[in-house]
Amino acid sequence: MKKILQELINGNLSMEEAEKMLKTMQISELEDFAKLDTARDVRTGFPEAIFAEGKDDSDLVKIIQGCAKRGRVLVTRLEEDRYFKIKDELKFLHGEGFKVEYNNKARILLLKDVEIEKQGKIGIITAGTSDIPVAEEARIVAEEAGCEVLTSYDVGVAGIHRLFSQIRRMLEEDVKAIIVVAGMEGALPSVVAGLVDVPVIGVPTSVGYGVGAGGFAALNAMLQSCAPGIAVVNIDNGFGAAVFAATMVKQTVK
Amino acid sequence: MKKILQELINGNLSMEEAEKMLKTMQISELEDFAKLDTARDVRTGFPEAIFAEGKDDSDLVKIIQGCAKRGRVLVTRLEEDRYFKIKDELKFLHGEGFKVEYNNKARILLLKDVEIEKQGKIGIITAGTSDIPVAEEARIVAEEAGCEVLTSYDVGVAGIHRLFSQIRRMLEEDVKAIIVVAGMEGALPSVVAGLVDVPVIGVPTSVGYGVGAGGFAALNAMLQSCAPGIAVVNIDNGFGAAVFAATMVKQTVK
Amino acid sequence: MKKILQELINGNLSMEEAEKMLKTMQISELEDFAKLDTARDVRTGFPEAIFAEGKDDSDLVKIIQGCAKRGRVLVTRLEEDRYFKIKDELKFLHGEGFKVEYNNKARILLLKDVEIEKQGKIGIITAGTSDIPVAEEARIVAEEAGCEVLTSYDVGVAGIHRLFSQIRRMLEEDVKAIIVVAGMEGALPSVVAGLVDVPVIGVPTSVGYGVGAGGFAALNAMLQSCAPGIAVVNIDNGFGAAVFAATMVKQTVK
Amino acid sequence: MKKILQELINGNLSMEEAEKMLKTMQISELEDFAKLDTARDVRTGFPEAIFAEGKDDSDLVKIIQGCAKRGRVLVTRLEEDRYFKIKDELKFLHGEGFKVEYNNKARILLLKDVEIEKQGKIGIITAGTSDIPVAEEARIVAEEAGCEVLTSYDVGVAGIHRLFSQIRRMLEEDVKAIIVVAGMEGALPSVVAGLVDVPVIGVPTSVGYGVGAGGFAALNAMLQSCAPGIAVVNIDNGFGAAVFAATMVKQTVK
Amino acid sequence: MKKILQELINGNLSMEEAEKMLKTMQISELEDFAKLDTARDVRTGFPEAIFAEGKDDSDLVKIIQGCAKRGRVLVTRLEEDRYFKIKDELKFLHGEGFKVEYNNKARILLLKDVEIEKQGKIGIITAGTSDIPVAEEARIVAEEAGCEVLTSYDVGVAGIHRLFSQIRRMLEEDVKAIIVVAGMEGALPSVVAGLVDVPVIGVPTSVGYGVGAGGFAALNAMLQSCAPGIAVVNIDNGFGAAVFAATMVKQTVK
Amino acid sequence: MKKILQELINGNLSMEEAEKMLKTMQISELEDFAKLDTARDVRTGFPEAIFAEGKDDSDLVKIIQGCAKRGRVLVTRLEEDRYFKIKDELKFLHGEGFKVEYNNKARILLLKDVEIEKQGKIGIITAGTSDIPVAEEARIVAEEAGCEVLTSYDVGVAGIHRLFSQIRRMLEEDVKAIIVVAGMEGALPSVVAGLVDVPVIGVPTSVGYGVGAGGFAALNAMLQSCAPGIAVVNIDNGFGAAVFAATMVKQTVK
Amino acid sequence: MKKILQELINGNLSMEEAEKMLKTMQISELEDFAKLDTARDVRTGFPEAIFAEGKDDSDLVKIIQGCAKRGRVLVTRLEEDRYFKIKDELKFLHGEGFKVEYNNKARILLLKDVEIEKQGKIGIITAGTSDIPVAEEARIVAEEAGCEVLTSYDVGVAGIHRLFSQIRRMLEEDVKAIIVVAGMEGALPSVVAGLVDVPVIGVPTSVGYGVGAGGFAALNAMLQSCAPGIAVVNIDNGFGAAVFAATMVKQTVK
Amino acid sequence: MKKILQELINGNLSMEEAEKMLKTMQISELEDFAKLDTARDVRTGFPEAIFAEGKDDSDLVKIIQGCAKRGRVLVTRLEEDRYFKIKDELKFLHGEGFKVEYNNKARILLLKDVEIEKQGKIGIITAGTSDIPVAEEARIVAEEAGCEVLTSYDVGVAGIHRLFSQIRRMLEEDVKAIIVVAGMEGALPSVVAGLVDVPVIGVPTSVGYGVGAGGFAALNAMLQSCAPGIAVVNIDNGFGAAVFAATMVKQTVK
């Protein structure tokens, strides 16, 4: 601003020109304010993420193409058959330096131009084998967000002894957070949080039937846990748990 | 019947008299059939039970007086202040050989004329201290139904190590069933059932708040348990759990 | 332990060797502790059970193969068309002495190497014909867990007279528990529990529509039953009811 | 109308007068149409009913006074303490030929100027003693609507043999409908409807706790009944059941 | 009984024979008692009804064949494609004097050997066109149960003027009950019950979306109606409404 | 801005002074931007509103005092006994030119310094007398927001003929919107919207019991209405309905 | 009427003829009354609308043909594949001057004979791309109802800065109402209503999963909004929102 | 262990003594294993916490006395009147070096023997004034767990401009996490998470009415948020949010 005023005084700028320049500057500051860019800058570590469900194939391809111009892209909840349908339309990305990886368990399509450096570790545990897809979604998202991930699947409370050595290993590896994925009665996060001193992020899954259908029994059990140090995300929301965990981990390495 | 027919043949009964006697006999058999008395006979081990909630004081006293004529009486869900109000009206029972005991944790009034012999053991565990009233209701009912009861209160999953020695003790004492009382996330029955080979009866309690209010989170977690060997009763239904457990135990000592 | 110490004194072991051996022994005991093996030993009467729903075919075959190495296997909730798809991949088990039986009503695949001896009886009753699949699941599981099973299907409360003789027969056969399977309004367990003195395990089914859709009306009716001596499992959980009943019956024959 | 036209022709009415008279007549016919008076005429057998809950005392007194001008009045859901508060303000009605009766079980205040003739019978059954207030509300309303009422309280399904003779008696007395009032698991209407061939009106009550709290378990069980011939009213709605039953009975005596 | 006793006295029967015959007689009386046959006799006016949903095709055919031996059969909730699949297997019934009629709106298959005489009228009204299948189910069932049926479809509250003349017609035809079928907000039964003095049976339908999905908004609106004289059946339960209405109508023509 | 730049050029401001003044101006513009003041300006017609529920008395008084500095204040959901407790502490406001009015039906406290001019009319209708408090809340709020209000209370669908003339009167008075307040089955807005061509705002009330408890049956019925032209606010939210209606009416008089 | 009476006096009509004519006139007036035609007249600006869901193809075609006789027709919730199936059967309409337009995003089929003049503007905003179909439904309906529509899609609260300029543009264009379409957590209408002074109509969508499945989280958030000036329609009800908005706008241009 | 073995070799211990000592050592190691002490050690930073609700006064005092022996104690959900009742019984603690502080907004009683050193900052924001008690609970707990806390209350989305500067201040202060407390529609955490790059912990409160009653609308909105980086705790669970946040912060300062 000083510079503009100086130019005005110096007569290099007419008052109209000065006024216009100040206003332009001001608008861009207004926009900066609204955008709170400081926040955004820090976020650039994350790839852009697209939720495929509820978008039709042609829209999806267009959105992917748009995002790919700005770097890595992560497409979640993309069923395998849909992936095969749109695969060819994404071929051109190879030419632009992208690696295209599809993980059918996690139902994630990953378009990568650069490898991301890993900083900080998290653990991911599932109660059963049916919870693995949600855990895999979380794993890939967390890795792409720059975390190293330790996994231990199918160690539910019904046979609690399987759990102990896994927890110990994760603590020894100094994980900064543990994501616990569980459907059915959702008891595992409570048990884990009773054993560890790192934050536990509970992810209820829609694995269950009868009163457990849809994952609500698991969700409520996690929210109502009598063990402290648990926070919860939406049912089947492996993505959200991973972003949350990675955001936490970033605080520890700043 | 043989006797009637014989008397008829012998001429000691007229045919009309015989017919009438046979019909009377028949009606009483009909009623027996409807009553399935064989079942009732076995049941006589239980005291009569009255659910005090929703009955006004004068009705309650009348029902107690009626039941007391037939032997031991157990009044459940009787708040302490109500007990004090009706106490004097039950005094006459002392003269009739009844001991009157009120347990304010369990909210049970017990009118006892005879001591019942104990046969078979059950265990009762609670997750927290707030679950104790429901457990105490179960304990008294089970004892009055002829079971020996081992209790272990406040051993929830948040600190799982407290649980192990208690479970081991109960197994060593050869309990035939374990009643597990838990509110909040209701995870304890799952954990217990994963450790033992006796039937586990889950009793959800209305201890909790937010999503756990009313005990529904606990109930659903128990019903949806991934550990086998659990059955569940209604929220706060210590009475029902105890009757169920005692009925089971009776099968083992027959 | 004695032996190790003796060898140490005898000089056959160096102190280092003795310490290492004691530690190894200790670790295995630690693990035993966590596993509470006493419990597991008693459980070996049950075949391993795999819940097929939510597992894809290739995972399922691998899990079956793994389990079959340890003995009898029971695969539940396996739809007939899935069975036909994986059938050939299980053929090799014949060579290993397994009989492969598929029951399409119960949706159970059974891999048997030995016949299990039956000890103790249970009854299974259904309210309607649509409840039979859940009852059949319970029947097969209970039989494989070592129970003799008496069944009586389609005897609901709408025509209560059908029920009486069936109940009487079961009591005469000295069943130790009755599993009552019912959808719709779920009234049957209440009626049965009013007639008998053995434990009644209610299994709500998802048979129903409108307010009864999903089996919740039946579940709640069973939990809220005013007849004592009922415990309940999750909707459609024939497996859980049978394991619970068999666990009970084992207490009576110990 | 003829008369008006005749007068017009006769010159006794000017055209203006005739037009005005025809319009007036027409408006009153319009209103009649909207009111569907034919329907209302038949209804006059019922007293006016006022739902006391949610109205403050002074409003309530005013409404009662207004209604009393048109004949019998029935005030429902009037708690005893409220009755005592407004009692004096209704005294003047005695002078106007009203009998004032308050039933504290049914929580009904009845202001009667004439006795109503009874035509046709209905039965009212309750499952438990706590359901009696709702049944009593139904009884008084049905009697005031002109029905003779047979009652049989506390005959629930837990002891089914108590039920049979009561049902038989009602059928022998030729009741035209049976109102079955039940809380808890709400199984009684199903059982009754399985035994009789008159319409069964189910009234769920808010008696229950845990999953049965509020009467929803009972409501859903009744709606989902597998016995045909049941229709249901709102929870605790003894009033509605009685009006419905009385409306039915009127069809049989027309 | 007299006869047996006489034969015994006459020496034509040994005492053993007499005892056996009396017992046999007694058992059959016991069964009669349990069956409450008086009720069943009156019911014979209804055809046997089979709910097709949840039964597989082969079971369904067997049940139909069994029922057809006892007379008219009504198969409800039978989708058109299922009807075409089992059609041929029912052909033999033509030879046995049955007419086979399938109504694809109502999804009812009717096997008729005799025409039933009509006694008494009921009205059936729907709010929208999408409610017609449920209404048609009710119509056919009511007709087969001996009622004459007047229908008026698609006269919902959004255009209340369409409703008036239809109601008036039904009242003039002296219907004994009106079944009102409505989804969405379920307001129609309230409006109708405000206009007529015959019983109104509300049938909520699962027509609706969002908060109205599944028919619960309509169900609750009907149960909570502030117009007296309404009773309600389960969502989409045209069958139940018709049986209830026909049971009522039978009371008026006895 | 021009002025500042001119002063700078004129030398009346140093560059530092100019820069500071521009920045200050800019910050206030930034804040204006965030505040979207254009919107706020239009809003100034409304008094400040304080929701009393959930605020303790001392906090409430402080907030009222704070708001009163900026003009008219409207305190909603203030129970009468609370009003009497805080009344004296608000006395000083009289000295500051405020009129203090408390309406106990509406539970609103109004602190007025100026009378607001009325522009545009709205109608408010209630189904029953118990809905009046919510309607009165709406009335006062709407009047304070500058609307003229026509009311018609207790004209529910059970007697539809009462409704017609009231609707007609409102249309003749040219109301721009009708707020329809109804509990129970919530059918009235559907009926009204079927008759008029002005926007109908449905306000469900918590008047009801059983399935209607809490007002959810009414809410869902209104949302699911098959009559077009209805929008809905939260249960008992007379305030919100009035603000919405007044906001609408302002559009018509701009 | 005057004319008839005059003819009667003149002798051109017999009294019978006059009476009959007056009655006929009266009936038509009665019907007019019931129809409240004044309201209908104003409504004629709207095309007839048919909700395609739940109607089978042949019924749908018939209804369309019937409506087309009376002018413009709008068929909502018509999936693209259904449109292609019925397309040919609607061809004849071209001959009758109709333009047939199908919008596959909005799932609306529009049969237009005349263009409608636009009066007044509304804005439509969506939170995400998946909310666009509901918004498009609203847009087309609002346009056909005579509104000019400004849209701004995919401006949700997660990136609030995208929202500001869009809101500003709409206010500058003087929209009379803003329809805000949002699924997931449904926060957008609250944010918008906090910024503007025109009525905000919230349309929750069924976009979401887990606790947000079906759109209930969004619906409840909108109803419970702490920002004043919001009213809400049913989940996914773009149609209803548009009709409501257009009805409002008509009030502003009268 | 070495020592024992040495003593054995040295002959200072008999083999029996050595075996016994080794076993004792082993048992204590077993217990250590079960306790996973490594975890506990890290946890000692937290004071012991007691949830006062659902515990009666005498039990509560006993539990407090027990805990106070082990150091700082924090009693949550202790209403002010209860505090005054038990206050005197805690006086003796002053003698033992405890400071007793009661915070009536947060409803927390704090018994402190040492001041805890603060490490790392968190922010706490509330949407409204009614959310402050939950926020205050979180603040005190977080401070006692060693966090420095920045608060900003009453900055809800209805006036979004109040929010921006608060968020900016917290980011500048380098908070490691932000706890966002909100009732009603629960939109605030979504908005905050859209602006910042630190983890956001949503705490729904039971502030609301109608559809928002109990806090479920807020809970679901937070779980279903479309902004990434949010995890959620139970309704009103300020305690849980603070423990979770403090656990996170500890990871950053290790």
Side-chain angles (χ1 to χ4, degrees), chain G residues 56-86:
Chain G
D56 62 40
D57 289 352
S58 63
D59 286 2
L60 185 60
V61 168
K62 267 180 241 152
I63 297 172
I64 293 172
Q65 289 168 344
C67 290
K69 286 172 194 150
R70 295 189 293 274
R72 277 181 311 144
V73 179
L74 204 143
V75 185
T76 63
R77 303 281 174 97
L78 181 71
E79 298 299 333
E80 194 162 22
D81 55 340
R82 290 191 68 188
Y83 167 60
F84 283 118
K85 277 199 223 143
I86 65 170

Side-chain angles (χ1 to χ4, degrees), chain A residues 43, chain G residues 156-162 185, chain H residues 190-191 193-195 226-228:
Chain A
R43 273 197 180 157
Chain G
V157 296
I160 228 158
H161 56 277
R162 289 185 293 176
E185 83 271 52
Chain H
S190 292
V191 173
L195 296 171
C226 52

